[in-house]
Amino acid sequence: MIAVATKNGYILLFDIVYSGQEKYLYEPAYPKGNQRVKVTTGYKEEQCAPSITVEMKKVLDFQAQITSLQSMQDDLVIATNDRILHLIHWDGLTNGRKAINLCSVPFSVDLQSSRGPSLDFECVCIQDMEYCATLDGFAVVFDDGRIGFITPESSKLTAEDFHGVWAQDVTDGTCVAINNKYKLMAFGCANGSVLVYTMDTTTGSMQLSHKLELTPKHYPDIWNKTGAVKLVKWSPDWSVAMVTWDCGGLSLWSVFGAHLFCTLGGDFAHYSDGTKKEPIKISSMSWGAEGYHLWAISSDNNNQEINSDLENKSVIQQAEILQFQFIKSALTVNPCMNNQEQVLLQGEDRLYLNCGDALQNQNSSTASANSGHQPVREKNLLLDDILIPQGLSTLLGHRHWHIVQIHSTYLESNWPIKFAAIDHLGQCVAVAGKYGIAHYALFTRKWKLFGNITQEQNMAVTGGLAWWNDFIVLACYNLIDQQEELRLYLRSSNLDNVFAHITKVQAGTLLINVFRDMVILFRADCSICLYSIDRNDNGPNPTASVQVLQEVSMSRYIPHPSLVVSITLTSVRTETGITLKMPQQACAAESIMLNLAGQLIMLQRDRSGPQVREKDSISKHKKLLPSCAPIVLAQCVENVWTTCRSNKHKRHLLEALWLSCGEAGMKVWLPLFPRDNRKPHSFLSRRIMLPFQINIYPLAVLFEDALVLGAVNETVLYDNLYVHNSENEPLEVLFPFCTVERTSQIYLHHILRQLLVRNLGEQALLLAQSCATLPYFPHVLELMLHEVLEEEATSREPIPDPLLPTVAKFITEFPLFLQTVVHCARKTEYALWNYLFAAVGNPKDLFEECLLAQDLDTAASYLIILQNMEVPAVSRQHATLLFNTALEQGKWDLCRHMIRFLKAIGTGELETPPPTPTTQEPSSTGGFEFFKHRSISFSQSTEGLSTGKFNLQKTLSMPSGPSAKRWSKDVDSAENMYIDEMLWRHARRLLEEMRLKDLSSFAAQLGFELIGWLCKERTRAARVEDFVKALKRLHKDFLWPFPVIPSCSFVNSPFKNGKYKTVGDQFLKSQSMETFANSELESGIINARGSHICLGLNTAHGEMDSGSFQGPQTQDAILSPLLSKGDECSIGSATDLTETSSMVDGDWTMVDEHFSTLSLTPSELEYISMELANKGPCKSQVQLRYLLHIFMEAGCLEWCTVTALILRDSAVMGQIISSIQRSEISNDVLQGIKDGMLAVDGWASSDCPGYKPFLNRIKPQLQKLNTVTEEQIQPEAFQPSSRLSISKAVEPPSPWSEDSRNTASHVNSSQNDNGSGISRQEDDGQREEEEEPHVDEGSYECSLS
């Protein structure tokens, strides 16, 4: 029946009857051959829309204006403005009952008061009321704004049986809405807030639970301008409430006051061009089936009667109906998901999942399926998931949902979806609609439906469904047998009752949950039943068997079965069960958590008496599983999370109980363990309830990762497609398109802080140490320090017991203490620094600790703190310490910052250091990238040499690029001199310690003028005191192998006669330099000129050196290009600083014409491999050649000698001797070279015989060195020449002194040891006469660009 109240005080009762003329108004059209129509009897008729008519049955006249009417079971309650409550039957008969006058109903503050009426209700009437079945009474709002609750004291419903309670200090009530599941009364007020009351079960008074109101923090422009609350509507699952105001707008709240979204702010309140929207006003609204839709009727400002001048008629504009679609969490209707970490959101026809990156990448196209929804969606209980096998990065790696469209065949007859569940691996989901079930596997992307449609239509899921391993567990009602059942279906089998295990249940099941191998049911008779599940793998398909363990009646604690929100079987125990000696008990089922209308009740297993062994019979379990008295753990609980997993390293987090409490945030029931298995104090509890606030609505808890997952409602404007303020502008333009995105928040710092506040620092330390391996643990410490600092330092009143010193002491227990403090300070305003460092320590001391710990980056951050808190002298002193330490450790980026910092101090810049320049700094590679900015040429003649000094060209020694500008600017300033002194001191120490590689990196990275500085230090730090030590250090730093001698004597080698000399030598050279040349060519450093060069080498050519190739069997060789060059090629190579040329190695290979027909003997192969083994990495060879050039320019001949030794380059040794003969060199240097070579010769004879062949080869040069040393060197004896000739064969390789027994054989390979070929060009000018006239030698050039 339908009851309609009219404006004039009439109640119209209508009957709904089926029309006899037309049986159906609408019929669905099915394709031919539809299986459901064929198989299911009456299926088509069920889907038809019947033809019905409304017939008026009776008219009741109450002779007063009707203010409210409400259905109460079989009766209809009508309130009129004459302060009368009328009770009638739905059939229109009063049944002899009298009307109740409100003046006769006693009102008091609580039901225990016996003082009689305490309010004056003579002039008030009921404005709005709603019946609450679970409280058995009416929540009423009077027309004067007061609110109250009227309840009958007996079932007779007479005037003498009613009693009322009223809420004090409330005088602006406007409307009321009842939440039957949570026993809540939501009263809308004229100030825009909603007061949510509950009834005290002890006294019967109305207690304020919480408020639903906008805050000025989040809605500063509208929070106090919303007007009076117009409507409050609870969703069908009682999990959320929708509120609308007189000025318009919609706002969604969770049951205990967590704000989810509001249309009065953000994109809801503004157009895309920034103009403000006029909030849409709602006159009426109602939730649809399962809460997936909200229907609303808009009320326009112009919806009023307009008198027409032409026609005296009243015109009423039509209102529009809006439908908003929502998705919700599976927890709202299927709370068995609270023991898993996965996320499952359900809509009316689709599921929202997030199951990891791999799955998301494969299904990225389905993420756009949201577009099928209307602009506004519910954000209330979205859940974000994690796969247990996957890591944290997978969980937080993306923000999109994987959307699974539910099979249309199933939705065709079972819309909408009621229940949904996901397995613990996040790979399988199951859904249940009006009838039957269906499940989906993400790895196969296939749905499984009932093959027998009759079986599907004969089963209705009533208590929810869950996963147990690969079985679907569900509580259903069998429509055929009219029997409640517990069923298990195997995922891998066909969905058929043949493969199901069916257990009959005595009463209807309301809730179901799974814990390990146990199933717990809550039934409609307020009883709890426990079952055990066993898996049997015998047979083709696995099967499951179910046995009853225990039944417990809870009727004395539960007044109504619909008040139970969730039931969970957990391993949580109170203090009597906490012990470190029995951790295995943490995995057993120890307690039942019952959420009774927001009140969390714990029913714990009694272990005080004799215990049961697992082998005992099942039949005894009813007697052997006693329970303790129920304990109330918390109030206002929306969701509960717990896990059955165990981890001995994180017992605090895994054995805790996590609660979501609406606007009160979250609570955790944390276990407290004694440290090191010590006996706990008798006065300490074993568990503690800790509340904490979070910024997101909690949807899931990641126990081991210390994270709370949530979701945010994101909006996208699309109103630019329409013209604003137009008459035909659709209402949906006022609402942006909404999407739901995941979010997360760390909660660990809240728990640590709460433990420290309660002087439980030891427990906080244990908890923090168990989570120290989390990647965001440093952020946890920083958050805790920052929040306490902001709270205490900005407090207007003195804090008697500040927490900051305790937090600071706690953080010192971790190695991240220094970083945590400075990061917190850098993110806090300067005014709070004194308060912070008064608790954590002096920043100067902390800076020194960073230096001792070699944490230079953190020390640099402290330097900024010191710059703002200390005088410039102190900053300069600490910056110098940091600069020197950074130089020593090779932190080049930090060194560059410190140079700018020191200059900023000198120029009076007291703020933060200058920003890093945008120009590209030299990279920190080991290849001396500074080399790219130099232009080096060896084509300097001896005429360019001055007496006693080398003539250093500016282009050779001064760096170019940004580094040069930095050094050339303000060179005379005191700050630059101060910085230069530190750089010189560091360079001097590196050179004295023979760390040439570090010195080169230092010069390249900081733009240090190495050549000029070496010229100054030529006779001081650039001296080599110990040649052997220097040689060993070069071998170590540059990874250069010590030379070895082949086992087969080279005298007997076929390479001696020169038959394969050309091919063998070139083979060695090409193999050692090919990689290097190719890589440098690709980097663009080498520029070659000439598109094709082919040189024929023959002994008959006069320009060839007669000593370069010996033996009459020298073969002609062809130089063939290995790489395709461009039009512009250069024979000279900058990166190929090998003796005097870079043409052959890497670019060209000498190939014997008959090489393919030659076969190498094992001795020849051994010789080649040994020569290759004696050469170091190509990169090291480039670096050593570069250093050799630097030392030659600077005139550091001792280091040139050492470098030539490690390269085993006889030509360089000849060049050094020639330089000594042509230049004025001090006797100390000459004597040092001579003594050093003698020391190397002795060391080679005893420890490194691999150097002996090379030393024997250069004996003629060494004899010249002895001659020069013994003679008195006259400066005027050296004439400057036009060029410095750097010849590959400065000394003739043939006839040397008699004691060089194997010299001739080694001369053949002397060119091979140089590491690169020679580009020989005939000099057009006159040839210079050398000291030995029988050698004709051209001048050779090596240019480096």
Side-chain angles (χ1 to χ4, degrees):
M1 295 182 70
I2 299 176
V4 178
T6 66
K7 187 177 180 180
N8 297 325
Y10 291 94
I11 292 291
L12 309 180
L13 298 179
F14 294 90
D15 264 341
I16 301 176
V17 296
Y18 288 96
S19 175
Q21 299 178 356
E22 295 182 6
K23 189 175 182 180
Y24 301 111
L25 189 62
Y26 295 100
E27 293 184 2
Y30 295 100
K32 293 183 179 180
N34 186 282
Q35 295 297 322
R36 292 180 180 270
V37 179
K38 288 183 177 180
V39 176
T40 308
T41 304
Y43 172 77
K44 183 176 180 180
E45 289 74 11
E46 290 181 2
Q47 307 302 317
C48 295
S51 176
I52 59 176
T53 59
V54 178
E55 296 180 355
M56 183 179 294
K57 182 177 182 182
K58 196 169 187 178
V59 178
L60 301 177
D61 185 7
F62 291 92
Q63 297 180 356
Q65 184 178 355
I66 298 174
T67 58
S68 178
L69 76 159
Q70 194 65 217
S71 176
M72 184 184 70
Q73 299 175 0
D74 295 333
D75 296 321
L76 188 64
V77 182
I78 299 102
T80 58
N81 62 353
D82 56 357
R83 299 177 297 280
I84 301 296
L85 275 179
H86 302 272
L87 284 81
I88 64 172
H89 279 300
W90 273 99
D91 56 5
L93 302 177
T94 60
N95 198 20
R97 299 179 183 177
K98 298 180 180 179
I100 302 170
N101 194 331
L102 288 179
C103 296
S104 64
V105 177
F107 274 84
S108 59
V109 177
D110 55 54
L111 294 178
Q112 293 180 344
S113 176
S114 59
R115 293 173 297 175
S118 56
L119 291 178
D120 183 14
F121 284 100
E122 294 182 359
C123 301
V124 297
C125 62
I126 295 177
Q127 176 180 318
D128 190 17
M129 70 177 179
E130 190 168 339
Y131 177 70
C132 180
T134 54
L135 290 175
D136 192 20
F138 295 92
V140 296
V141 178
F142 299 101
D143 59 354
D144 64 350
R146 287 180 289 184
I147 61 176
F149 183 77
I150 301 176
T151 180
E153 294 182 352
S154 65
S155 59
K156 295 182 180 180
L157 294 179
T158 60
E160 292 77 11
D161 294 332
F162 278 93
H163 189 91
V165 294
W166 63 285
Q168 304 180 66
D169 304 328
V170 180
T171 59
D172 61 346
T174 59
C175 59
V176 64
I178 294 296
N179 190 320
N180 283 293
K181 195 174 191 65
Y182 289 89
K183 296 194 298 184
L184 297 176
M185 299 172 286
F187 294 92
C189 299
N191 62 359
S193 64
V194 178
L195 305 180
V196 183
Y197 282 86
T198 184
M199 295 298 294
D200 189 340
T201 56
T202 304
T203 64
S205 62
M206 295 177 63
Q207 289 187 344
L208 180 64
S209 173
H210 56 278
K211 295 182 180 181
L212 310 180
E213 57 184 359
L214 301 179
T215 60
K217 178 181 178 181
H218 299 97
Y219 300 92
D221 300 331
I222 197 67
W223 70 277
N224 57 353
K225 302 175 184 178
T226 58
V229 176
K230 188 172 184 62
L231 291 171
V232 179
K233 294 293 181 180
W234 292 99
S235 62
D237 53 25
W238 310 108
S239 59
V240 292
M242 185 68 79
V243 179
T244 183
W245 295 273
D246 283 344
C247 75
L250 293 169
S251 184
L252 191 68
W253 312 78
S254 72
V255 61
F256 286 110
H259 195 201
L260 302 177
F261 82 86
C262 180
T263 63
L264 295 179
D267 289 340
F268 290 98
H270 297 86
Y271 290 103
S272 56
D273 58 1
T275 57
K276 190 172 180 59
K277 299 178 183 177
E278 186 68 24
I280 186 171
K281 295 177 175 59
I282 304 297
S283 61
S284 179
M285 61 182 180
S286 177
W287 288 93
E290 301 298 329
Y292 294 123
H293 305 92
L294 179 71
W295 298 83
I297 299 177
S298 64
S299 59
D300 200 310
N301 292 333
N302 299 323
N303 287 352
Q304 55 187 354
E305 295 184 2
I306 303 175
N307 294 326
S308 175
D309 295 336
L310 299 178
E311 300 177 6
N312 243 342
K313 294 182 180 179
S314 150
V315 178
I316 300 178
Q317 292 187 355
Q318 295 292 330
E320 296 190 59
I321 298 178
L322 297 175
Q323 184 196 53
F324 304 99
Q325 292 189 354
F326 293 87
I327 57 174
K328 61 182 180 180
S329 167
L331 285 174
T332 58
V333 289
N334 197 29
C336 65
M337 293 295 299
N338 60 2
N339 59 1
Q340 298 183 9
E341 297 177 345
Q342 279 79 12
V343 166
L344 180 59
L345 311 180
Q346 61 185 69
E348 59 173 340
D349 59 352
R350 66 195 65 189
L351 301 176
Y352 288 69
L353 312 173
N354 194 330
C355 300
D357 284 337
L359 182 67
Q360 181 67 28
N361 292 337
Q362 298 173 2
N363 302 277
S364 59
S365 60
T366 61
S368 60
N370 321 16
S371 58
H373 280 233
Q374 294 296 327
V376 180
R377 297 196 192 105
E378 177 185 11
K379 194 202 73 169
N380 68 336
L381 296 177
L382 307 176
L383 198 63
D384 211 6
D385 71 86
I386 178 175
L387 298 183
I388 293 177
Q390 294 176 340
L392 187 63
S393 60
T394 301
L395 168 71
L396 302 177
H398 54 85
R399 303 177 64 187
H400 302 289
W401 302 101
H402 173 54
I403 301 177
V404 178
Q405 184 71 38
I406 299 176
H407 203 288
S408 59
T409 304
Y410 182 76
L411 286 176
E412 190 177 280
S413 57
N414 300 300
W415 176 94
I417 296 301
K418 294 183 177 180
F419 303 99
I422 189 170
D423 69 340
H424 70 283
L425 294 177
Q427 294 297 310
C428 300
V429 291
V431 295
K434 183 180 178 181
Y435 300 111
I437 63 169
H439 61 89
Y440 177 83
L442 274 71
F443 48 85
T444 62
R445 300 176 182 272
K446 291 182 178 180
W447 281 95
K448 276 193 177 181
L449 309 180
F450 270 97
N452 189 335
I453 303 174
T454 304
Q455 294 181 4
E456 176 190 279
Q457 297 298 311
N458 291 337
M459 176 188 69
V461 177
T462 58
L465 68 163
W467 286 88
W468 177 73
N469 297 332
D470 52 349
F471 284 88
I472 304 173
V473 185
L474 56 93
C476 65
Y477 181 72
N478 191 328
L479 300 177
I480 298 296
D481 300 336
Q482 296 184 356
Q483 173 69 46
E484 297 286 342
E485 296 175 345
L486 175 66
R487 296 188 181 185
L488 277 77
Y489 289 93
L490 182 64
R491 180 196 60 80
S492 57
S493 300
N494 293 332
L495 199 53
D496 195 286
N497 292 342
V498 176
F499 303 101
H501 183 278
I502 301 176
T503 303
K504 296 184 183 300
V505 182
Q506 299 302 323
T509 303
L510 300 182
L511 293 170
I512 188 174
N513 210 330
V514 176
F515 177 84
R516 294 190 176 273
D517 295 335
M518 299 177 67
V519 176
I520 183 171
L521 300 182
F522 178 74
R523 301 184 300 199
D525 58 355
C526 295
S527 63
I528 296 175
C529 188
L530 297 177
Y531 296 87
S532 67
I533 311 177
D534 295 322
R535 180 188 178 98
N536 184 10
D537 292 324
N538 297 330
N541 293 317
T543 58
S545 60
V546 178
Q547 290 181 320
V548 179
L549 290 180
Q550 185 179 8
E551 294 184 8
V552 180
S553 176
M554 298 290 293
S555 58
R556 59 182 298 187
Y557 306 108
I558 302 175
H560 196 282
S562 65
L563 295 177
V564 179
V565 179
S566 66
I567 186 168
T568 307
L569 198 62
T570 73
S571 59
V572 176
R573 287 185 58 82
T574 55
E575 56 188 40
T576 57
I578 297 290
T579 174
L580 287 179
K581 296 181 180 180
M582 301 178 66
Q584 68 276 5
Q585 291 186 1
C587 300
E590 295 291 340
S591 60
I592 297 173
M593 295 294 172
L594 201 69
N595 186 352
L596 180 64
Q599 191 178 56
L600 188 63
I601 297 176
M602 177 179 179
L603 191 67
Q604 182 174 277
R605 180 177 176 181
D606 187 5
R607 290 188 177 272
S608 58
Q611 300 301 300
V612 191
R613 294 178 302 177
E614 298 296 335
K615 296 181 180 180
D616 289 342
S617 62
I618 299 297
S619 61
K620 299 180 181 180
H621 276 198
K622 291 186 179 181
K623 298 181 180 179
L624 297 176
L625 293 176
S627 300
C628 302
I631 304 172
V632 178
L633 296 182
Q635 302 283 348
C636 302
V637 177
E638 294 183 2
N639 288 308
V640 182
W641 291 279
T642 182
T643 180
C644 59
R645 292 185 289 115
S646 61
N647 185 342
K648 64 179 181 179
H649 301 294
K650 292 185 178 181
R651 292 190 60 190
H652 282 91
L653 298 179
L654 286 178
E655 296 183 23
L657 191 69
W658 306 89
L659 314 176
S660 171
C661 301
E663 69 166 357
M666 292 190 68
K667 294 180 181 179
V668 55
W669 201 32
L670 195 70
L672 303 179
F673 299 108
R675 192 172 187 178
D676 302 328
N677 293 331
R678 292 179 294 184
K679 186 177 180 180
H681 298 289
S682 59
F683 59 86
L684 287 180
S685 174
R686 304 308 200 277
R687 282 188 179 270
I688 186 171
M689 187 71 75
L690 301 176
F692 57 92
Q693 285 287 343
I694 57 174
N695 299 326
I696 64 175
Y697 186 84
L699 305 174
V701 176
L702 304 184
F703 307 100
E704 294 175 276
D705 297 317
L707 278 178
V708 173
L709 303 181
V712 292
N713 197 48
E714 297 293 341
T715 55
V716 179
L717 288 172
Y718 60 95
D719 59 337
N720 54 359
L721 302 177
Y722 302 91
V723 179
H724 297 169
N725 301 324
S726 63
E727 296 181 358
N728 298 326
E729 184 179 27
L731 281 179
E732 56 266 23
V733 178
L734 295 175
F735 297 93
F737 181 79
C738 295
T739 60
V740 178
E741 293 188 357
R742 303 189 307 144
T743 184
S744 62
Q745 184 173 337
I746 302 170
Y747 62 77
L748 185 58
H749 62 290
H750 294 294
I751 301 178
L752 297 177
R753 179 180 176 179
Q754 292 292 334
L755 290 173
L756 294 177
V757 168
R758 291 161 175 78
N759 293 322
L760 295 174
E762 188 176 88
Q763 296 294 325
L765 187 60
L766 286 174
L767 176 59
Q769 288 174 346
S770 67
C771 301
T773 57
L774 293 175
Y776 40 81
F777 182 73
H779 187 56
V780 170
L781 300 179
E782 185 181 331
L783 279 176
M784 181 171 62
L785 180 62
H786 179 78
E787 289 182 1
V788 175
L789 172 64
E790 292 279 350
E791 205 172 289
E792 296 185 357
T794 57
S795 177
R796 296 183 178 181
E797 298 180 359
I799 300 176
D801 188 15
L803 185 62
L804 188 60
T806 305
V807 173
K809 184 178 179 181
F810 175 79
I811 297 177
T812 56
E813 297 291 334
F814 300 92
L816 302 171
F817 165 69
L818 297 172
Q819 296 94 316
T820 302
V821 172
V822 74
H823 291 168
C824 178
R826 294 288 300 276
K827 299 173 184 177
T828 310
E829 4 176 342
Y830 170 72
L832 307 183
W833 284 4
N834 288 329
Y835 189 85
L836 171 64
F837 289 104
V840 301
N842 193 312
K844 291 188 289 186
D845 299 334
L846 300 178
F847 174 85
E848 293 174 1
E849 289 184 29
C850 292
L851 289 184
L852 293 177
Q854 302 296 318
D855 190 356
L856 303 189
D857 294 331
T858 305
S861 298
Y862 276 105
L863 194 60
I864 299 177
I865 304 295
L866 291 173
Q867 181 191 16
N868 290 274
M869 298 184 66
E870 302 289 344
V871 296
V874 176
S875 301
R876 182 192 184 101
Q877 177 187 1
H878 288 79
T880 303
L881 291 175
L882 180 59
F883 186 35
N884 289 329
T885 308
L887 286 173
E888 177 58 33
Q889 295 190 7
K891 304 282 187 180
W892 308 123
D893 290 336
L894 181 58
C895 289
R896 287 189 284 270
H897 286 300
M898 293 312 302
I899 291 174
R900 288 192 296 272
F901 186 82
L902 289 169
K903 289 184 177 181
I905 294 178
T907 56
E909 298 178 12
L910 299 180
E911 298 300 325
T912 56
T916 305
T918 58
T919 54
Q920 180 71 26
E921 295 284 352
S923 62
S924 57
T925 60
F928 307 149
E929 297 295 333
F930 172 66
F931 186 57
K932 296 179 180 179
H933 301 300
R934 302 176 60 87
S935 177
I936 302 174
S937 175
F938 281 158
S939 58
Q940 299 180 70
S941 64
T942 55
E943 295 178 354
L945 296 175
S946 60
T947 304
K949 287 186 178 180
F950 287 96
N951 184 14
L952 303 177
Q953 294 185 3
K954 187 173 183 179
T955 58
L956 305 182
S957 56
M958 291 299 294
S960 60
S963 58
K965 298 178 182 178
R966 182 171 68 245
W967 289 106
S968 60
K969 182 179 180 182
D970 298 333
V971 293
D972 297 331
S973 66
E975 290 302 324
N976 283 346
M977 290 300 298
Y978 179 71
I979 297 172
D980 288 345
E981 285 293 338
M982 288 189 289
L983 295 175
W984 294 340
R985 182 167 58 250
H986 181 69
R988 189 177 300 111
R989 189 164 63 83
L990 291 178
L991 195 57
E992 289 173 351
E993 295 177 0
M994 304 177 182
R995 295 160 55 184
L996 294 189
K997 190 167 186 177
D998 294 339
L999 177 64
S1000 303
S1001 297
F1002 159 74
Q1005 295 292 340
L1006 299 183
F1008 184 69
E1009 190 181 345
L1010 186 57
I1011 297 179
W1013 178 79
L1014 285 174
C1015 290
K1016 298 176 183 178
E1017 299 290 334
R1018 186 188 308 164
T1019 59
R1020 291 176 294 184
R1023 295 289 308 277
V1024 181
E1025 301 296 335
D1026 189 342
F1027 272 52
V1028 176
K1029 182 179 179 180
L1031 196 59
K1032 291 180 179 179
R1033 185 59 187 257
L1034 289 181
H1035 276 285
K1036 176 182 177 182
D1037 290 350
F1038 290 92
L1039 303 178
W1040 198 268
F1042 288 95
V1044 294
I1045 298 179
S1047 57
C1048 61
S1049 176
F1050 184 72
V1051 176
N1052 299 325
S1053 173
F1055 288 87
K1056 178 181 178 181
N1057 56 16
K1059 178 179 180 181
Y1060 310 133
K1061 178 179 62 61
T1062 302
V1063 176
D1065 292 355
Q1066 190 54 39
F1067 173 77
L1068 291 175
K1069 288 186 288 184
S1070 62
Q1071 292 299 317
S1072 63
M1073 292 301 296
E1074 182 177 1
T1075 304
F1076 156 70
N1078 292 342
S1079 62
E1080 298 298 340
L1081 279 168
E1082 292 173 359
S1083 63
I1085 297 178
I1086 297 179
N1087 296 320
R1089 61 176 178 264
S1091 59
H1092 181 73
I1093 300 177
C1094 182
L1095 300 179
L1097 303 182
N1098 197 305
T1099 54
H1101 294 172
E1103 59 270 15
M1104 295 300 296
D1105 187 359
S1106 61
S1108 59
F1109 295 97
Q1110 293 187 1
Q1113 299 178 357
T1114 299
Q1115 302 292 326
D1116 291 343
I1118 300 176
L1119 290 175
S1120 59
L1122 293 179
L1123 300 174
S1124 61
K1125 305 291 181 178
D1127 294 336
E1128 293 295 327
C1129 296
S1130 174
I1131 296 178
S1133 173
T1135 56
D1136 194 12
L1137 284 178
T1138 56
E1139 304 88 65
T1140 57
S1141 176
S1142 61
M1143 180 191 73
V1144 178
D1145 289 343
D1147 294 353
W1148 310 92
T1149 302
M1150 298 173 62
V1151 183
D1152 194 309
E1153 294 176 350
H1154 306 287
F1155 183 73
S1156 57
T1157 61
L1158 299 178
S1159 59
L1160 299 179
T1161 63
S1163 61
E1164 297 166 359
L1165 291 175
E1166 182 180 3
Y1167 171 77
I1168 295 176
S1169 61
M1170 197 61 64
E1171 286 297 319
L1172 291 176
N1174 290 341
K1175 293 180 180 296
C1178 297
K1179 192 174 187 180
S1180 297
Q1181 186 173 4
V1182 175
Q1183 294 170 350
L1184 287 171
R1185 295 285 176 183
Y1186 171 68
L1187 284 175
L1188 176 62
H1189 165 70
I1190 294 297
F1191 288 132
M1192 289 295 292
E1193 282 194 348
C1196 302
L1197 297 181
E1198 290 174 300
W1199 276 113
C1200 292
T1201 304
V1202 175
T1203 310
L1205 282 174
I1206 192 174
L1207 292 172
R1208 293 183 296 149
D1209 195 331
S1210 57
V1212 173
M1213 292 298 298
Q1215 175 187 342
I1216 295 173
I1217 300 302
S1218 301
S1219 300
I1220 293 175
Q1221 293 175 344
R1222 293 173 172 80
S1223 306
E1224 181 179 354
I1225 306 299
S1226 64
N1227 293 332
D1228 294 340
V1229 174
L1230 295 177
Q1231 189 63 35
I1233 295 175
K1234 178 181 177 182
D1235 296 340
M1237 293 301 297
L1238 291 176
V1240 169
D1241 185 72
W1243 168 72
S1245 301
S1246 59
D1247 297 334
C1248 189
Y1251 268 110
K1252 290 300 292 181
F1254 176 70
L1255 293 176
N1256 292 335
R1257 191 182 314 134
I1258 63 174
K1259 276 189 178 181
Q1261 288 91 328
L1262 298 181
Q1263 290 176 355
K1264 291 186 178 181
L1265 178 62
N1266 294 335
T1267 304
V1268 174
T1269 306
E1270 294 172 358
E1271 295 177 355
Q1272 291 292 333
I1273 303 177
Q1274 299 295 333
E1276 58 273 10
F1278 299 94
Q1279 300 293 333
S1281 58
S1282 60
R1283 287 208 227 170
L1284 175 63
S1285 177
I1286 306 175
S1287 171
K1288 176 161 185 144
V1290 174
E1291 296 293 337
S1294 53
W1296 285 352
S1297 46
E1298 305 79 33
D1299 54 345
S1300 300
R1301 294 183 295 271
N1302 295 329
T1303 299
S1305 61
H1306 287 298
V1307 165
N1308 297 332
S1309 60
S1310 63
Q1311 304 297 329
N1312 303 330
D1313 293 331
N1314 295 334
S1316 72
I1318 302 174
S1319 174
R1320 306 200 176 195
Q1321 298 179 352
E1322 185 176 358
D1323 193 354
D1324 296 331
Q1326 296 182 354
R1327 296 187 179 180
E1328 298 178 345
E1329 291 292 328
E1330 299 294 338
E1331 293 181 357
E1332 299 187 17
H1334 66 279
V1335 178
D1336 291 336
E1337 167 179 302
S1339 60
Y1340 305 96
E1341 296 180 350
C1342 177
S1343 61
L1344 177 66
S1345 58

